[in-house]
Amino acid sequence: MSLTLQTSIQYLKGVGEKRAKLLQKLGIATLEDLLWAFPHRYEDWSHITGIQQAPLGEPCCIRAFVDHAPVEHQLRHGMTLYKTRITDGSGVLGLTIFNSGYLAAQLKPGEEYLFYGRVSENFLQREMASPQIAPVSEARLRPVYPLTEGITSRQLEILVKRALDEVLPQVKELLPEALRKQYGLLPLNKALLNIHRPESLDSAQNARQRLAFDELFLLQLGLLRLKLGGAAEASPALSPEPAMDFLRTLPFEPTRAQVRATEEAAADMAKPVPMRRLLQGDVGSGKTAVAAALLYSAVENGWQGALLAPTELLARQHHQTLQKLFEGRGAMPELLLGATPAARKKRIKAGLASGSLPLVVGTHALLQKDISFARLGLVVVDEQHRFGVRQRDAVSHDTAGSKLKPHMYAMSATPIPRSLAMVIYGDLDISVLDELPPGRLPVETYCVGPALRQRVLRYVAKHLDEGRQGYIVCPRVEEDEAGELAAATQFAEELKAGIFANYQVGLLHGKLKPKQKEQVMEAFAAGDLQLLVSTTVIEVGVDVPNAVIMVIENAERFGLSQLHQLRGRVGRAPGMGKSTCILISGADNEEALRRHALMKETNDGFRIAQEDLQMRGPGDFFGQRQHGLPPLRLANMLTDTQLLRLTREAALRLAEEDPRLELPEHRALQNAVTRMFL
């Protein structure tokens, strides 16, 4: 059988079905995939040190002879040790191998090997436990790959070597020669070879530079194609006056930031091309009022509007808010959820298709293929980072009665630095709400240990006695096996049986049925429940002005931005006085203490997000592809700032020359961009 780029991993010698399934967990299904399974670090087996000169407690490589065959020692609990000694002329080193008779059997007395590990010392001799062992011919930089249980880095190294030998010559260059030379980048084949088998750390870094450039360049090309593709389409040109009139007639004074954001979006919507704009705003900055003004403008211009939210809880909250804001204005929004009764769902769909229903709020239910609009003029997507780049556009298909594309307005309460936002949301223009409504006081934040929990709960009870409401947030629904994490269900029962026995306590978590969630939130909003014990389902969208105190259990389990989002559920009503958030945590590690100190110090979501990014990196910050972008194997959008600038510059220039990548020399790029955004 001749090998091709797409040869299945299961056809390789020594890769059985079980191992193939383990490799698939790492995203490796074909021989070609091995080329793109990059190492995350290297071990330097090329720098040989003597036994007597080996630094204690640090990884090092020793070249030495085996003194005698390893001796087996049986220990309790089924553990087996194999002990021997090695020597290099400068000294003797004791060697211990754990539970690996196969590895011990490979060591032949009098033979020379490389031993990689950490050296320790007692009063008798120097020792190395659990060494990695290789032939002396392997004295080089050796890659260490991300793993899954059942697959070792050495096994991957062997498979990658085969891919390099047999598949690498078939890999075609992606970048045009002129572009590659302009930025001093290695040829793709050489970069792939050097990332897996580098001659030096410099060659590995040069390879990483080329491959990371490719990732960011393809990403930015794809986002630019989305943006330029939208610019080539037609949308309804909407008069901006209704949006500004809406702001002027609100029952409260809008902030300057709200006015500015509405003006920017209304100006975009007045053009006959699709608006693609993102509104970034901290919790409580008034994003919904801006969205309402734009939706009102669409309806007043004779078009339909839709607001898309990622959860039913958030969709219901938006529906209630829009109902209040649109009261007396002649157009009331409908709510479409997966749990909407069939008869009502049918009526809503018919109204959207005929155009008799001007405004709808919904979840992913709005993305179904059987949903069509007669004259859809504007789509607002809230918490847009929870939708993929393509998914957030799915509702923006051609409407039944018009070939015009609707305008698209995205909102996010997860503020990030503008430089990073330009990449992540490269297909969108950006507006920022950087002011809070007048009268909103910062939430006072404290952090205490578990020993003060009862005192904290009494402080909560004091607020309830004054007619206020509060939240207690737990990281889990049910108790974990170790019993270490506060769980909402058990904790709620304990509170109802203990200190809050004379209060109305509710429970809210993601495992409740939609109807149950709705009943709990309606009861809490109406004041029938005084205290709500909840998981993070309240992170966004829950707006109960009378709730002024929050306790977050096991606060070390949450990221900074998530803590800030949770804290944003209190202190939401001007004139209600101060609100309080209390973090309970027994953690004393440096990172947890730093997070809690920052939460006490500031209520600025942009500063908190910046710190969160620096602590956790973009991958953890956004969650598992929460930002909706294709995954990056090497590039880091936080640290590769220079590369971000260069690739954006290159992508813009190429997009001007060949927007659709139709020239023959750009065909490989076109295919790669298409694959990346599938």
Side-chain angles (χ1 to χ4, degrees):
M1 181 191 71
S2 63
L3 287 168
T4 68
L5 285 176
Q6 292 301 320
T7 298
S8 170
I9 204 77
Q10 287 181 300
Y11 286 104
L12 296 184
K13 184 178 178 181
V15 180
E17 185 176 347
K18 181 179 179 181
R19 185 169 293 174
K21 288 181 178 178
L22 293 174
L23 288 168
Q24 285 173 7
K25 290 184 179 180
L26 297 171
I28 300 170
T30 69
L31 200 57
E32 183 188 18
D33 292 337
L34 287 163
L35 296 179
W36 308 95
F38 302 131
H40 59 81
R41 63 183 177 88
Y42 300 91
E43 293 171 346
D44 190 358
W45 292 54
S46 64
H47 181 72
I48 308 296
T49 185
I51 290 174
Q52 288 301 112
Q53 293 76 39
L56 297 179
E58 297 179 16
C60 65
C61 187
I62 293 172
R63 179 173 176 169
F65 292 90
V66 176
D67 180 70
H68 62 265
V71 178
E72 180 179 320
H73 299 268
Q74 294 288 339
L75 301 181
R76 293 180 181 179
H77 310 299
M79 180 177 285
T80 305
L81 302 184
Y82 300 87
K83 287 182 172 289
T84 187
R85 290 191 302 271
I86 60 173
T87 179
D88 66 351
S90 74
V92 176
L93 186 73
L95 214 66
T96 303
I97 298 171
F98 293 90
N99 286 331
S100 181
Y102 173 80
L103 182 59
Q106 305 304 305
L107 297 181
K108 307 299 181 185
E111 294 291 329
E112 191 177 26
Y113 302 89
L114 299 176
F115 301 90
Y116 188 90
R118 298 176 188 271
V119 174
S120 61
E121 188 175 54
N122 57 38
F123 64 93
L124 293 176
Q125 66 176 358
R126 290 193 152 202
E127 297 179 331
M128 183 183 285
S130 301
Q132 297 180 57
I133 304 170
V136 293
S137 60
E138 294 295 318
R140 56 180 174 79
L141 281 178
R142 300 190 66 174
V144 179
Y145 294 92
L147 304 173
T148 187
E149 188 175 354
I151 297 290
T152 69
S153 185
R154 291 297 167 254
Q155 290 169 339
L156 271 180
E157 188 178 355
I158 292 169
L159 290 172
V160 168
K161 184 179 184 306
R162 179 164 182 185
L164 290 170
D165 292 341
E166 301 182 19
V167 177
L168 185 60
Q170 301 178 56
V171 174
K172 291 182 171 56
E173 178 62 62
L174 279 179
L175 300 183
E177 185 73 8
L179 180 67
R180 188 175 63 74
K181 288 184 176 179
Q182 178 183 354
Y183 291 99
L185 300 170
L186 291 174
L188 181 56
N189 282 28
K190 188 171 182 179
L192 286 170
L193 179 62
N194 286 356
I195 199 76
H196 291 292
R197 298 180 72 84
E199 296 178 357
S200 66
L201 287 175
D202 282 345
S203 66
Q205 178 56 33
N206 289 337
R208 184 198 177 278
Q209 181 84 354
R210 161 64 206 260
L211 296 167
F213 184 99
D214 281 13
E215 286 188 320
L216 294 175
F217 184 57
L218 291 173
L219 173 65
Q220 304 217 49
L221 274 179
L223 293 172
L224 281 171
R225 284 181 70 189
L226 286 173
K227 189 170 185 176
L228 293 173
E233 296 168 337
S235 286
L238 308 181
S239 168
E241 279 76 16
M244 308 315 297
D245 289 342
F246 185 92
L247 282 189
R248 285 190 284 269
T249 56
L250 286 172
F252 53 85
E253 183 71 23
T255 64
R256 289 170 299 177
Q258 285 175 311
V259 173
R260 182 179 65 245
T262 305
E263 287 175 341
E264 290 171 346
D268 286 351
M269 291 165 62
K271 300 172 185 176
V273 295
M275 170 179 69
R276 300 177 64 85
R277 182 170 287 275
L278 168 72
L279 178 64
Q280 276 194 267
D282 207 346
V283 289
S285 58
K287 295 182 294 297
T288 306
V290 175
L294 300 177
L295 289 166
Y296 177 76
S297 181
V299 173
E300 284 296 293
N301 276 277
W303 293 80
Q304 293 167 293
L307 192 156
L308 179 64
T311 67
E312 292 196 354
L313 196 61
L314 183 54
R316 290 182 189 280
Q317 188 72 55
H318 277 312
H319 181 242
Q320 293 170 6
T321 302
L322 291 181
Q323 280 184 317
K324 295 175 185 175
L325 293 175
F326 274 75
E327 191 172 0
R329 297 182 188 268
M332 293 301 284
E334 281 281 3
L335 180 64
L336 181 63
L337 309 172
T340 301
R344 186 177 176 189
K345 191 178 291 187
K346 183 178 180 181
R347 178 176 58 80
I348 292 174
K349 290 179 181 179
L352 295 176
S354 68
S356 61
L357 179 58
L359 190 57
V360 65
V361 178
T363 56
H364 292 76
L366 283 175
L367 303 178
Q368 301 303 311
K369 291 182 179 178
D370 62 344
I371 301 289
S372 65
F373 293 80
R375 288 171 59 80
L376 183 58
L378 172 66
V379 179
V380 176
V381 185
D382 195 19
E383 287 304 304
Q384 71 85 44
H385 61 285
R386 301 197 182 193
F387 297 91
V389 173
R390 290 189 178 277
Q391 194 179 35
R392 73 185 181 211
D393 291 334
V395 76
S396 301
H397 47 62
D398 290 336
T399 58
S402 169
K403 290 188 177 180
L404 298 179
K405 291 282 185 180
H407 297 285
M408 200 278 288
Y409 196 63
M411 301 193 297
S412 177
T414 305
I416 59 174
R418 190 173 184 88
S419 59
L420 187 56
M422 287 177 66
V423 178
I424 294 174
Y425 310 125
D427 58 326
L428 308 176
D429 297 311
I430 300 173
S431 295
V432 177
L433 292 184
D434 50 9
E435 298 176 68
L436 291 179
R440 286 285 300 270
L441 298 176
V443 178
E444 293 185 353
T445 304
Y446 304 92
C447 185
V448 302
L452 294 179
R453 179 176 287 110
Q454 291 304 311
R455 182 176 173 183
V456 169
L457 295 179
R458 288 195 295 271
Y459 186 64
V460 173
K462 177 176 177 291
H463 284 76
L464 304 189
D465 291 338
E466 294 172 352
R468 301 299 178 85
Q469 293 166 278
Y471 302 95
I472 295 182
V473 180
C474 302
R476 296 175 64 94
V477 179
E478 298 168 346
E479 197 73 43
D480 66 318
E481 291 181 3
E484 296 175 352
L485 291 181
T489 49
Q490 289 90 336
F491 201 30
E493 292 303 317
E494 291 173 11
L495 294 175
K496 285 190 280 189
I499 189 171
F500 294 104
N502 297 321
Y503 300 84
Q504 297 302 311
V505 179
L507 174 64
L508 185 68
H509 56 75
K511 291 186 178 181
L512 292 177
K513 294 179 180 179
K515 190 66 176 177
Q516 292 174 308
K517 291 180 190 175
E518 182 181 359
Q519 290 171 344
V520 171
M521 281 312 304
E522 285 179 352
F524 190 61
D528 297 333
L529 294 175
Q530 298 165 281
L531 180 66
L532 188 61
V533 180
S534 174
T535 59
T536 56
V537 293
I538 64 160
E539 184 181 346
V540 294
V542 176
D543 187 2
V544 179
N546 193 44
V548 297
I549 187 164
M550 172 177 284
V551 176
I552 302 178
E553 290 280 352
N554 299 108
E556 73 280 0
R557 295 282 172 166
F558 302 97
L560 264 174
S561 293
Q562 192 173 34
L563 287 174
H564 182 61
Q565 291 291 324
L566 289 167
R567 178 172 63 180
R569 298 311 102 204
V570 296
R572 300 187 64 82
M576 292 290 286
K578 74 170 184 177
S579 292
T580 307
C581 178
I582 302 174
L583 312 178
I584 297 182
S585 174
D588 58 1
N589 62 77
E590 183 178 348
E591 183 175 326
L593 294 175
R594 182 178 162 193
R595 285 205 305 263
H596 300 157
L598 189 67
M599 287 293 293
K600 290 191 290 184
E601 180 183 334
T602 183
N603 277 259
D604 183 345
F606 284 88
R607 182 182 167 194
I608 286 171
Q610 176 68 41
E611 289 288 330
D612 207 6
L613 272 165
Q614 290 177 347
M615 287 184 189
R616 297 195 289 158
D620 289 337
F621 176 81
F622 291 109
Q624 184 62 28
R625 298 188 64 180
Q626 282 282 289
H627 46 71
L629 292 177
L632 301 177
R633 294 182 176 94
L634 277 180
N636 184 317
M637 290 186 290
L638 184 61
T639 57
D640 289 326
T641 52
Q642 174 71 359
L643 211 53
L644 279 172
R645 185 185 64 78
L646 292 177
T647 53
R648 183 158 183 81
E649 169 190 288
L652 284 168
R653 188 160 50 246
L654 188 63
E656 287 178 3
E657 298 171 7
D658 184 12
R660 300 187 181 279
L661 302 177
E662 293 173 331
L663 295 176
E665 61 267 32
H666 299 154
R667 196 62 50 81
L669 277 175
Q670 183 189 67
N671 294 336
V673 169
T674 300
R675 285 198 305 272
M676 191 180 207
F677 279 82
L678 280 178

